[in-house]
Structure formats: structure tokens, C-alpha cells
Amino acid sequence: MQLVRRDAGVRVLVCTPSNAAADLLAERLAAAGLDSDKLYCLDASSLHEEDISGDVQAMSLFPGHERLLAFRVVLSTCSSASMLRALDVPVGHFSHIVIDEAAQAEEPLAMIPIMGFSDTYTNIILIGDPNQLGPIIKSPTAARAGLGKSYLERLMLMDEVYGLDTQAGKA
């Protein structure tokens, strides 16, 4: 909300690892003042109508391409963000990519919006607590490959990125 209120040129892609988190975030953004002219919820249309509020339903009707590009905030799960490529949303269109609950997202899942839509001018914001629930990995092969650790946690463990001596200017 602060980004949108501060700068009229901001376009934000907000992603979560799950539909439940996306729905909750949509309801909170709507309650904070983002209406269906500013917020588009890519995933809400896949839910039963009785499961989501009227405000979120209005934000999930599929817009045309020009209208899609005009939204200030697009909300999706990380995996469904890939649909935006099929809808011809260009790389670099979003000034900010926010991944909420990033500590719960497997690294490949977090990479879908990051690699799909960021360029050198895109701000990437990872939100989450790596000391809470992490990615749920059921495959032993995937766990051995390191997918039990989120992208956020891996970055936080890198001293050159997140060390105490690098807080100014590098993180």
C-alpha cells in the first residue's frame, strides 16, 4: 500500500506460495483501500464464489490485455504468475515484485515471478520469517537437492548478502 500511495508509476506483482495466502492478502488489500480499478487477483476466479468475498470476486474478473497492464497491483500465487507471460505482460513491466511468505516458498517456486518478470530496474522484496514454517518437501530426492530451504533462507545465510557488515547498501 505504501508503494502504491507514494508513486503513481509503481506497478507491483505480489505473489504468495499458496491460494489461501493470496486470498487473505487480497482481502486485506481491499480493506486497506485498493479497489478493483487498481488491484487484479489472478487466482481468485479459480475458487468457489462462496469462498471469497464480493470485493475479491470483483477483482478477479479477467480483463483485456490493456486493462491488465493498467492495474497498479497484480496478485497471484508464485506458480500462477507464469500465466502472465502467456498474457503478454512484458519483462520489466512491474517496478516491484513482492513475494509474501517467501520463507514457505520452495526456491524454484519463488523464481517463477522473479525470473519471469524482473529486469535490472525491478525491485524484489521477499517477506517472511525463515524461523517459522519453511517449504514442505515430500520428495526425499528434492530434499537432498536442497529444496527444503527457501530462497529467502538461503540468501539470509550468505554473509556477503546479509551479513552484519553488509547491511548498508548491499542487501
Side-chain angles (χ1 to χ4, degrees):
M1 287 302 298
Q2 292 174 359
L3 292 168
V4 172
R5 288 182 180 146
R6 188 183 73 203
D7 184 348
V10 164
R11 298 284 182 267
V12 184
L13 174 59
V14 180
C15 296
T16 66
S18 70
N19 281 318
D23 295 340
L24 179 61
L25 194 51
E27 289 184 7
R28 288 184 178 171
L29 289 170
L34 279 183
D35 60 21
S36 60
D37 288 333
K38 294 184 182 109
L39 174 63
Y40 176 66
C41 300
L42 185 63
D43 291 315
S45 61
S46 67
L47 300 176
H48 299 290
E49 289 183 15
E50 64 271 8
D51 292 340
I52 55 175
S53 73
D55 290 337
V56 175
Q57 287 178 26
M59 294 172 200
S60 64
L61 300 174
F62 186 75
H65 183 259
E66 293 301 317
R67 180 72 185 116
L68 179 61
L69 296 179
F71 285 105
R72 304 285 309 282
V73 178
V74 174
L75 176 62
S76 172
T77 62
C78 293
S79 59
S80 293
S82 64
M83 291 191 301
L84 295 171
R85 296 294 295 147
L87 298 173
D88 293 325
V89 174
V91 171
H93 171 72
F94 298 105
S95 59
H96 296 76
I97 296 174
V98 177
I99 301 181
D100 191 26
E101 300 294 347
Q104 294 178 18
E106 301 91 346
E107 187 165 350
L109 193 64
M111 289 297 116
I112 293 170
I114 293 171
M115 299 303 293
F117 297 100
S118 66
D119 62 13
T120 56
Y121 302 104
T122 307
N123 296 285
I124 308 295
I125 302 168
L126 304 176
I127 302 169
D129 182 351
N131 295 317
Q132 291 184 352
L133 180 64
I136 297 173
I137 305 297
K138 295 180 181 178
S139 163
T141 304
R144 282 191 304 274
L147 294 180
K149 190 175 294 183
S150 69
Y151 181 53
L152 174 64
E153 185 178 359
R154 190 169 65 79
L155 287 175
M156 292 182 77
L157 293 172
M158 297 172 70
D159 286 338
E160 61 272 14
V161 174
Y162 208 81
L164 293 176
D165 60 337
T166 62
Q167 291 301 304
K170 285 193 176 180

